[in-house]
Amino acid sequence: MSGSDKLRVLLVEDNPGDVLLITELLSDRKTELEIDVASDGEEALNYLYGRGRYQQAVAPQLVVLDLNLPRVSGLDVLAVLRKDPRMSPLPVVVLSSSDAERDIVESYCRGANTYIQKPVDLRQFQEAVAKIESFWLSLAKLPSLQKPAPKEEKLDD
Amino acid sequence: MSAATLEGDVNPPGNPLDGELGSPKGIRLGEVPIGEGSLPLELPGQILQSFEFAVVATDAQGQISYWNKAAEELYGYSPAEAIGRSLDFVVPEADRRDLLRLIGGLRRGRDMQITHALHRHKDGSLIETSATFKALLDEQGELLGIVATASDASKQRRLNERLLLAFESSPSGMVMVDDKGTILMLNAETERLFGYKRQELLGRKVDILVPDRFTDLHQHHRASFARNHTRRLMGGGRELYGRRQDGSEFPVEIGLTPVETRDGLLVLGVIADISGRKLAEERFRIALESAPCGIVMVDHSGKIILINLETERLFGYSRSELIGRAIEDLIPQRYRKEHVSLRDGFARQPEARVMGSGRDLFGLRKDGSEFPVEVGLNPIMGPDGPAVLCAILDITERNQTAELLRIHAEELQRSNNDLEQFAYVASHDLQEPLRMVASYVELLAERYQGQLDERADKYIHYAVDGARRMKQLVSDLLSFSRVGTQGKPLQPLETEQVLRGVLFELRQLAEENEAEIMVGPLPRVMADETQLRQLFQNLLSNALKFRSDAPPKITITAFRSVSEVTISLSDNGVGIDMAYAERVFQMFQRLHERGKYEGSGIGLAIAKRIVERHGGRIWLESQPGQGCTFHFTLRAAAPPEAL
């Protein structure tokens, strides 16, 4: 982390309810967070690669990724990031409502740093978000990535 | 005087019917050479001695001059004691006059027979005798002497009585007729069979016992029997009937025996009432014909020798078309060759069994069409050698029913799967929006409780409470539907190891409750490990949850039968009224008011679902306040060394 720069988190989440919930819960604790939101996988990749309207976007230190996303799924986003040496150090926390074994296994296979199931219970949700925050945003040292030059990324391999 | 003969109306002593009195072999009494003008003493003594009837000879004056051994046996006097005495010394005094008269008659050349006379034995007793007297005359007609024979008539009488009794008490009707068909003799059974009194039949024509429609034929046959008589069954295979006095008829079997007598040819008819046999035959016929399956009897060469009505119906052949045919004619061409060899095999090792041992069998109708059959084979020893009785069942309908059942079962399975899938998907997908509702009402409660008015607080409270309950229900429903949709294949498991894992997870709860948990040896079972863990967990949690005031004591034991393991989990908890024993396994059934115990009542429903998915049963035994025992069965797994 460099100096007084705010920690930047990219939240990839299509459900506005969850976006609000997560941002509210996160901002409960910290004011030093910049939370950007992408509402589907494609938008997330555009953001990360500075494409289209995200040309000015700054590279985040952490991605919180939902799996069940329109257009490009969370797992596919993971795959793209991990195949790109420039992106592969970026920590990704999967935050999904799925508890299906195959989702969990597949996420880790594709390089997720952690997999957290969205708790149904609000208190547990708060706790989960707090723990993500305290671990990833306080305790863990995160890499600072240079935003790569805009170019098309292939999704199909 | 020519050779003396002893034939007459009376049976000669030594009647061939009487074994005790049998005459010496090779000697015919009529030919005893009592030579003309010669005295009986000239008879070869050996022969006379060997007679079993008494032979006594006298001279012209009646002085006894010969006394054979049989005479000694009959009267008790030795020859020395008898010879020289008057012939009448064995006759009681009162009868001696008669004897004198008889001898007088003999002098006039009249032979005499006395069928019944009382003579005195040496010991003083009277003996029943039958006797013959024969005068020996010279050429001038002068009496030379008398030859008398005597035998014990009581034997003869008893024999006659026995013969009569035998005839009389024969279980068959017996009728003796002469060559003209006149009834001479009949027995009691004949009276009974035909309903006549003896006197009503004696002297009548035998035709009276024959139904009118057979009378002419009977006379014809009787005449031919007279010409060519051999002992045989009457009727030559035709059905015979007797006619009773009241005109009714009954089926009979009649044996005819020609008896040649001096009175000419007599015929002894032995009549058996075969109504009973006819009835049995009729019953057999009805049973055979009304049997709901085709019955075919096949001889050792594979030839059909008997079929029933149903066989005709099944195969479309008439009886006459099938009798004598090879059984293979009822089998489709493609199976015939094999069938012949299979049939040979069966003949070598006959045993009652179902044919085909699981293969599909087909019958071939006369019109060439085929139908599925089931065939039972039964080796029998028929009247003409070993045979096989086949019971043939048309199973077209049964197959159709089985197919329908199979389709139904498949549809049921499919709809069951669909339902499970639906429950799973519904409960799964409901979780997302539910999470939103629940989270935001809770957030609302957290941030705005007390900032609005009292009424709003109440609204928020109920919204939160409802959302919480719904979350529990949806999550339980999801767990429940997972048993069916997310199950893994069953595999051999070390039950004790699985249980140890569960106990480890529950150790904190168990400690808090100061529970004592005892585990007996548990055999290996076939199970889905995740589900077996869940099963133990749910039952143990249940036992800990419904504890009594005493520290929980839980015992887990198992009993293994050949293929099944029954695991029993007993506790000393509050127990359950057996009236609710079924209800506790239903989803969301709670026996206690909300709030007393946590949980939505899914634990035992899931336990039951798991056991049932494993092909087992679960039940409980309990009394309120006496604790509770849950039993469940699982398939036993082979011990590890056998794998």
Side-chain angles (χ1 to χ4, degrees):
Chain A
M1 222 174 316
S2 53
S4 61
D5 278 359
K6 284 186 175 180
L7 279 176
R8 192 168 290 276
V9 175
L10 175 62
L11 175 59
V12 190
E13 172 62 67
D14 66 321
N15 181 353
D18 272 332
V19 171
L20 179 59
L21 204 58
I22 294 164
T23 49
E24 289 237 350
L25 294 178
L26 278 176
S27 52
D28 264 3
R29 313 263 171 151
K30 289 261 183 184
T31 49
E32 296 164 8
L33 287 179
E34 284 286 349
I35 301 171
D36 289 321
V37 176
S39 58
D40 63 53
E42 194 180 294
E43 199 183 340
L45 290 175
N46 287 342
Y47 179 99
L48 290 169
Y49 284 97
R51 290 188 293 245
R53 61 185 178 99
Y54 294 109
Q55 279 176 16
Q56 303 309 313
V58 180
Q61 275 81 42
L62 182 72
V63 177
V64 175
L65 180 66
D66 190 12
L67 290 186
N68 191 13
L69 295 169
R71 288 192 277 281
V72 178
S73 78
L75 286 175
D76 289 338
V77 171
L78 257 180
V80 171
L81 297 183
R82 291 303 178 240
K83 277 188 184 129
D84 184 342
R86 295 161 300 166
M87 287 297 183
S88 58
L90 182 62
V92 176
V93 171
V94 173
L95 183 63
S96 164
S97 56
S98 166
D99 67 343
E101 190 70 17
R102 58 172 193 284
D103 284 340
I104 298 168
V105 170
E106 194 58 28
S107 295
Y108 284 112
C109 282
R110 296 191 182 198
N113 296 77
T114 202
Y115 188 106
I116 292 165
Q117 191 195 348
K118 287 176 188 166
V120 180
D121 189 82
L122 178 68
R123 277 186 214 299
Q124 288 168 20
F125 206 115
Q126 280 172 328
E127 212 173 297
V129 171
K131 281 179 176 164
I132 292 170
E133 193 174 41
S134 66
F135 182 82
W136 287 104
L137 302 176
S138 302
L139 184 62
K141 293 296 271 180
L142 302 175
S144 284
L145 268 68
Q146 292 305 310
K147 201 179 70 177
K151 69 167 190 172
E152 285 306 308
E153 290 303 319
K154 288 194 173 174
L155 294 177
D156 56 358
D157 55 354
Chain B
M1 162 99 207
S2 57
T5 61
L6 287 171
E7 68 175 16
D9 283 332
V10 79
N11 279 326
N15 187 311
L17 290 172
D18 189 344
E20 296 170 51
L21 288 173
S23 66
K25 288 206 166 72
I27 294 169
R28 301 267 309 272
L29 277 177
E31 290 165 11
V32 173
I34 302 175
E36 196 175 307
S38 55
L39 286 173
L41 290 179
E42 291 165 13
L43 277 167
Q46 222 181 334
I47 294 176
L48 289 174
Q49 285 298 346
S50 69
F51 285 176
E52 289 185 22
F53 51 93
V55 179
V56 179
T58 72
D59 60 15
Q61 283 70 45
Q63 296 284 111
I64 292 168
S65 56
Y66 181 78
W67 188 263
N68 75 349
K69 203 180 260 176
E72 181 179 349
E73 280 163 15
L74 183 61
Y75 294 105
Y77 297 99
S78 68
E81 290 170 309
I83 289 172
R85 300 181 75 161
S86 170
L87 183 61
D88 61 5
F89 88 108
V90 294
V91 179
E93 307 226 345
D95 297 336
R96 287 188 183 162
R97 278 177 156 282
D98 294 338
L99 183 67
L100 283 176
R101 264 205 301 280
L102 184 145
I103 292 172
L106 288 174
R107 285 180 193 282
R108 293 188 293 278
R110 281 162 53 193
D111 294 348
M112 288 302 293
Q113 283 139 4
I114 301 173
T115 54
H116 189 79
L118 287 174
H119 288 170
R120 193 168 301 280
H121 189 269
K122 185 183 177 185
D123 65 11
S125 64
L126 290 173
I127 45 178
E128 279 180 62
T129 59
S130 64
T132 64
F133 297 89
K134 190 129 191 115
L136 297 174
L137 303 174
D138 65 12
E139 285 165 5
Q140 285 75 44
E142 283 298 310
L143 186 70
L144 292 173
I146 299 166
V147 175
T149 64
S151 61
D152 186 342
S154 64
K155 283 183 182 172
Q156 189 61 43
R157 185 172 52 76
R158 284 200 299 271
L159 175 70
N160 286 341
E161 278 170 4
R162 257 183 261 147
L163 286 174
L164 198 64
L165 213 58
F167 179 80
E168 199 52 28
S169 60
S170 161
S172 302
M174 295 178 103
V175 178
M176 178 88 83
V177 299
D178 66 13
D179 55 349
K180 299 188 180 56
T182 308
I183 298 172
L184 300 178
M185 244 181 125
L186 60 110
N187 68 352
E189 179 65 6
T190 307
E191 289 182 286
R192 197 190 66 77
L193 283 178
F194 290 91
Y196 283 102
K197 291 261 183 339
R198 192 169 308 236
Q199 296 314 316
E200 294 170 318
L201 287 177
L202 287 173
R204 300 289 296 272
K205 286 279 189 249
V206 74
D207 297 332
I208 193 174
L209 301 178
V210 178
D212 284 342
R213 64 182 190 284
F214 297 122
T215 308
D216 289 348
L217 195 66
H218 182 249
Q219 283 171 353
H220 172 74
H221 281 118
R222 200 156 44 69
S224 79
F225 184 76
R227 284 194 302 277
N228 178 19
H229 48 269
T230 51
R231 192 176 160 145
R232 63 171 170 83
L233 272 181
M234 187 169 154
R238 280 174 296 119
E239 291 188 346
L240 300 177
Y241 293 89
R243 181 174 63 176
R244 297 195 188 91
Q245 186 180 32
D246 63 10
S248 61
E249 296 181 10
F250 60 103
V252 291
E253 196 172 81
I254 300 178
L256 295 178
T257 306
V259 182
E260 289 197 67
T261 71
R262 280 180 297 110
D263 298 338
L265 178 74
L266 302 184
V267 177
L268 179 67
V270 180
I271 304 154
D273 179 352
I274 56 169
S275 314
R277 194 210 300 164
K278 280 269 173 203
L279 194 68
E281 280 173 4
E282 185 61 10
R283 282 202 188 115
F284 167 76
R285 200 190 60 78
I286 289 172
L288 181 73
E289 294 304 2
S290 56
C293 60
I295 292 176
V296 177
M297 202 191 286
V298 179
D299 72 6
H300 63 281
S301 69
K303 226 167 56 193
I304 297 170
I305 52 182
L306 177 140
I307 68 161
N308 69 346
L309 207 59
E310 179 67 5
T311 306
E312 293 182 288
R313 202 188 63 75
L314 283 178
F315 291 91
Y317 286 101
S318 73
R319 196 163 307 226
S320 56
E321 286 174 304
L322 277 183
I323 300 291
R325 270 193 190 225
I327 185 70
E328 275 77 23
D329 287 357
L330 299 180
I331 295 169
Q333 184 74 50
R334 62 187 181 282
Y335 299 122
R336 282 183 192 167
K337 218 169 168 182
E338 188 192 12
H339 186 263
V340 172
S341 66
L342 286 172
R343 190 156 53 69
D344 286 347
F346 184 80
R348 277 194 298 276
Q349 257 187 322
E351 49 165 358
R353 62 171 172 83
V354 172
M355 187 169 147
S357 55
R359 279 178 297 121
D360 288 339
L361 302 175
F362 294 92
L364 179 69
R365 293 195 191 90
K366 187 182 181 183
D367 65 11
S369 59
E370 293 180 13
F371 60 105
V373 291
E374 186 176 273
V375 181
L377 299 176
N378 217 345
I380 52 171
M381 186 45 81
D384 28 15
V388 179
L389 193 65
C390 317
I392 302 165
L393 213 54
D394 181 348
I395 55 170
T396 308
E397 252 173 66
R398 194 211 290 171
N399 283 359
Q400 283 165 353
T401 311
E403 177 64 10
L404 275 179
L405 273 177
R406 198 187 55 74
I407 291 170
H408 266 116
E410 249 176 32
E411 276 171 2
L412 261 179
Q413 184 64 48
R414 194 164 43 235
S415 90
N416 215 25
N417 289 347
D418 287 352
L419 267 176
E420 268 180 355
Q421 200 59 40
F422 171 78
Y424 177 72
V425 170
S427 50
H428 184 265
D429 289 3
L430 273 175
Q431 280 198 315
E432 268 305 291
L434 180 61
R435 193 168 54 80
M436 285 297 106
V437 172
S439 298
Y440 278 101
V441 291
E442 279 173 38
L443 202 59
L444 188 63
E446 198 173 275
R447 303 212 168 149
Y448 296 97
Q449 191 97 37
Q451 293 182 34
L452 305 168
D453 62 4
E454 211 172 297
R455 184 175 294 224
D457 285 351
K458 208 178 256 176
Y459 293 171
I460 291 169
H461 169 76
Y462 284 124
V464 169
D465 186 52
R468 274 193 191 132
R469 289 214 314 266
M470 191 162 168
K471 275 192 302 195
Q472 185 66 53
L473 286 178
V474 168
S475 123
D476 287 347
L477 194 58
L478 190 59
S479 313
F480 185 82
S481 62
R482 271 189 182 138
V483 175
T485 55
Q486 315 285 297
K488 295 187 183 73
L490 309 190
Q491 56 182 29
L493 290 178
E494 297 292 342
T495 314
E496 281 185 44
Q497 208 170 304
V498 174
L499 180 60
R500 268 201 300 277
V502 174
L503 288 175
F504 182 78
E505 279 173 19
L506 288 175
R507 68 194 182 282
Q508 196 186 340
L509 187 63
E511 273 165 25
E512 283 166 11
N513 280 288
E514 297 177 313
E516 191 183 335
I517 300 175
M518 283 161 291
V519 179
L522 303 178
R524 290 155 58 86
V525 295
M526 295 297 293
D528 168 343
E529 184 171 352
T530 311
Q531 295 191 345
L532 183 60
R533 291 173 74 91
Q534 194 177 4
L535 175 60
F536 276 128
Q537 194 160 8
N538 288 8
L539 291 178
L540 283 166
S541 307
N542 191 73
L544 291 171
K545 179 158 47 162
F546 297 101
R547 56 168 290 182
S548 61
D549 293 336
K553 272 190 169 182
I554 300 170
T555 313
I556 301 164
T557 54
F559 167 79
R560 184 188 163 147
S561 70
V562 179
S563 59
E564 206 176 61
V565 174
T566 304
I567 296 177
S568 303
L569 191 146
S570 309
D571 64 45
N572 61 341
V574 294
I576 296 170
D577 187 332
M578 286 304 281
Y580 303 112
E582 288 295 318
R583 260 181 64 188
V584 298
F585 293 111
Q586 288 171 19
M587 242 194 291
F588 306 131
Q589 289 288 337
R590 306 163 54 106
L591 301 183
H592 303 277
E593 64 274 26
R594 191 184 303 282
K596 187 165 180 187
Y597 295 101
E598 279 175 30
S600 61
I602 197 73
L604 293 180
I606 289 177
K608 181 169 193 256
R609 191 107 177 85
I610 290 174
V611 171
E612 283 174 353
R613 192 203 150 221
H614 284 68
R617 290 160 288 126
I618 185 167
W619 69 100
L620 66 85
E621 288 176 282
S622 181
Q623 276 180 352
Q626 301 289 308
C628 177
T629 303
F630 282 90
H631 306 275
F632 61 91
T633 63
L634 293 172
R635 264 168 53 213
E641 60 268 24
L643 287 174

